[in-house]
């Protein structure tokens, strides 16, 4: 396939430039001294510009058309057909936007970040509202430029979850809301049933770090092809299938933070490390969507890391490391503690039970703001009313309400739903893995994660971006994304923990 080879050779420069920018960005968030910020911003801008220009060049368009002609009539499952489909998707995303709009978005979001940081600090939504309105106006222009059939949000969502429609998300969320809101209220009435005070004692950070490293190594994260460092906001990044970095942060007075953040990021990294080696240096390497990516991080964090079998194996080791804090706490009490539910106002602190309600709120507000159904001055009230309706709590300040997340100031509209989609998918994939390999839980209880990782590698990781999310899920589980599995999982697990 000469046309495919030519396309890949041309795109190799784009990939190299982007990966080099990723190295600089990783360094910025881990080791760079504050003095490097200004020069780093310029270096990143130059590399990103070069990558973008190379990608949207007429040369790419020509090579892509030739490749499309060459794969006509080929099996859609083939590497070649998948590559062409993915490159076309990304190429259209980047070329349909006029340069003036790309620049306007970059300018506005750079400025918006500072405005948002200050407004959040001072709990002053009014100071952020005009900026937020401009950003949503730019997002509306972006949606028009990208094009959509039904709703402008479709175009924005497609950047992060290719093929997913606003109507699909709305239907899933309607189903979820109907069951989740009353269930959350039931759990809220029993919050005292779980004691988690022992998690908030003093835990030596060095020991936490060692334990976290041992855990992710045992899960199967390959340190020959990765490493873990500290970052203020934990993230995963990669420069190749064979160099995938994770980060974590340590809190001396809250044990779960570092560990679950390490396991979460390792879940993302296992997906990236698991792409088939034949996809290296092609645009098919990596995760197929943010939702599927999040399904992997949450599967490891929640289904595995907050499950009983995991702690049957790891808890005695953790007790040995922290005898003063945990010596008198039995496994069952610890298991319940790490699964405690709370009336949190803050999304990033939310537990498995309440998390998706935080996401639905943002999805609904994004659509209303985008379609002009909600005035920007009324947005904090709308936020608080939804919090009251879904969680029965009203944020006392906008800092703990509408100003809490960075996404909107960064122009990331359409991004939030992928967190909830990932949560739903994590349970669907987990259920299928257990149906195929019933010994997965008993092997985890012996510290053997290979059967689970092997299943994920075979069914999900190795394909990289070869299948769009909906197709992948259908192939893996035999049905589309749905809410039934997640709700059944929640009910079973939390009815037991909270004695409902
Ligand atoms: Zn994640």
């Amino acid at each position: 396939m000469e046309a495919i080879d030519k396309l890949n050779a041309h795109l190799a420069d784009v990939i190299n430039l982007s990966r080099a920018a990723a190295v600089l960005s990783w360094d910025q968030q881990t080791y760079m001294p504050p003095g490097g910020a200004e020069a780093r911003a310029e270096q990143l801008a130059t590399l990103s510009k070069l990558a973008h220009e190379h990608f949207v060049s007429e040369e790419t368009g020509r090579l892509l058309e030739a490749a499309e002609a060459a794969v006509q009539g080929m099996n859609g499952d083939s590497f070649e057909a998948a590559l062409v489909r993915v490159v076309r998707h990304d190429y259209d995303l980047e070329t349909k936007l006029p340069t003036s709009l790309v620049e306007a978005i970059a300018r506005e979001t750079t400025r918006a970040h500072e405005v948002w940081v200050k407004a959040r600090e001072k709990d002053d939504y009014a100071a952020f509202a005009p900026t937020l309105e401009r950003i949503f106006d730019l997002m509306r222009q972006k949606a028009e430029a990208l094009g959509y059939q039904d709703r402008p949000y479709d175009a924005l969502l497609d950047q992060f979850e290719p093929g997913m429609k606003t109507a699909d998300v709305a239907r899933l969320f309607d189903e979820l809301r109907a069951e989740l809101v009353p269930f959350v209220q039931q759990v809220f009435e029993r919050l005292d049933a779980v004691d988690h005070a022992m998690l908030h004692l003093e835990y030596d950070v060095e020991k936490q770090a060692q334990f976290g490293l041992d855990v992710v190594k045992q899960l199967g994260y390959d340190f020959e092809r990765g490493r873990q460092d500290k970052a203020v906001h934990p993230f995963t990044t990669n420069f190749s299938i064979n160099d995938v970095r994770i980060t974590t942060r340590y809190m001396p007075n809250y044990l779960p933070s570092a560990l679950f953040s390490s396991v979460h990021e390792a879940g993302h990294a296992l997906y990236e490390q698991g792409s088939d080696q034949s996809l290296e240096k092609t645009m098919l390497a990596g995760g197929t969507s943010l939702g599927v990516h999040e399904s992997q991080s949450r599967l490891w964090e929640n289904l595995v890391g907050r499950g009983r079998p995991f702690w049957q194996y790891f808890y005695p080791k953790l007790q040995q490391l922290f005898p003063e804090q945990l010596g008198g706490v039995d496994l069952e009490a610890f298991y319940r503690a790490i699964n405690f539910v709370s009336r949190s106002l803050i999304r990033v602190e939310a537990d498995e039970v309440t998390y998706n309600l935080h996401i639905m709120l943002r999805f609904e507000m994004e659509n209303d703001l985008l379609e002009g159904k909600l005035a920007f001055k009324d947005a904090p009230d709308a936020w608080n009313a939804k919090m009251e309706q879904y969680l029965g709590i009203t944020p006392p300040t906008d800092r703990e309400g509408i100003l809490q997340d960075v996404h909107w100031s960064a122009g990331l509209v359409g991004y939030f739903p992928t967190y909830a989609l990932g949560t739903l998918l994590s349970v669907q994939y987990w259920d299928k893995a257990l149906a195929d390999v019933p010994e997965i839980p008993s092997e985890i209880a012996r510290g053997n994660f290979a059967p689970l990782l092997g299943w994920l590698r075979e069914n999900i990781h190795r394909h990289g971006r070869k299948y769009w999310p909906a197709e992948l899920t259908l192939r893996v589980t035999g049905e589309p994304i749905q809410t039934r599995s997640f709700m059944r999982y929640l009910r079973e697990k939390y009815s037991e923990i909270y004695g409902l």
Side-chain angles (χ1 to χ4, degrees), residues 36 41 81 88 90 128 156 158 164 170 193 209 232 255 290 295 316 362 394 402 405 419 451 464 470 476:
R88 168 58 70 191
D90 293 2
F128 182 55
L156 303 179
D158 191 75
M164 180 64 85
V232 180
L255 180 65
L290 292 190
S295 80
R362 286 154 180 75
T394 300
I402 192 167
D405 286 313
Y419 293 124
V476 174

Side-chain angles (χ1 to χ4, degrees), residues 250-395:
Y250 300 98
M251 293 191 182
N253 291 304
Y254 188 52
L255 180 65
S257 178
L259 175 67
F260 288 120
S261 136
S262 284
V263 173
H264 181 98
E265 299 307 328
H268 282 301
L270 287 168
Y271 189 11
E272 294 285 339
Q273 285 185 335
S275 280
D276 194 277
Q277 288 291 344
S278 65
L279 306 184
E280 177 75 340
K281 295 185 212 154
T282 77
M283 292 186 80
L284 287 185
T288 189
S289 72
L290 292 190
V292 176
H293 236 299
E294 202 63 13
S295 80
Q296 298 306 294
S297 56
R298 281 169 198 264
L299 186 150
W300 287 100
E301 181 191 349
N302 293 329
L303 282 302
V304 177
R306 291 181 207 270
R308 260 200 197 87
F310 179 91
W311 288 105
Q312 281 167 2
Y313 178 75
F314 277 117
Y315 192 55
K317 297 174 184 7
L318 189 66
Q319 277 181 309
Q320 257 175 22
L321 215 49
F322 299 109
E324 255 173 66
Q325 298 89 332
L326 298 173
V329 179
D330 68 23
L331 172 64
E332 213 37 44
F334 184 77
Y335 166 74
R336 288 152 58 96
I338 54 160
N339 285 298
F340 82 92
V341 176
S342 72
R343 291 179 189 271
S344 178
L345 296 163
I346 308 297
R347 176 186 62 83
V348 295
E349 289 168 10
D351 47 80
E352 282 186 283
V353 179
T354 56
Y355 190 86
N356 285 341
L357 293 172
H358 290 269
I359 299 304
M360 288 176 207
L361 174 159
R362 286 154 180 75
F363 167 74
E364 290 158 12
M365 287 194 59
E366 284 181 342
N367 271 289
D368 287 350
L369 290 171
L370 202 62
E371 293 176 353
K373 291 179 183 157
L374 174 63
F376 285 85
K377 65 174 171 41
D378 300 331
D381 289 342
W383 180 290
N384 294 349
K386 281 187 195 292
M387 281 299 287
E388 188 59 47
Q389 186 193 341
Y390 295 168
L391 289 155
I393 39 178
T394 300

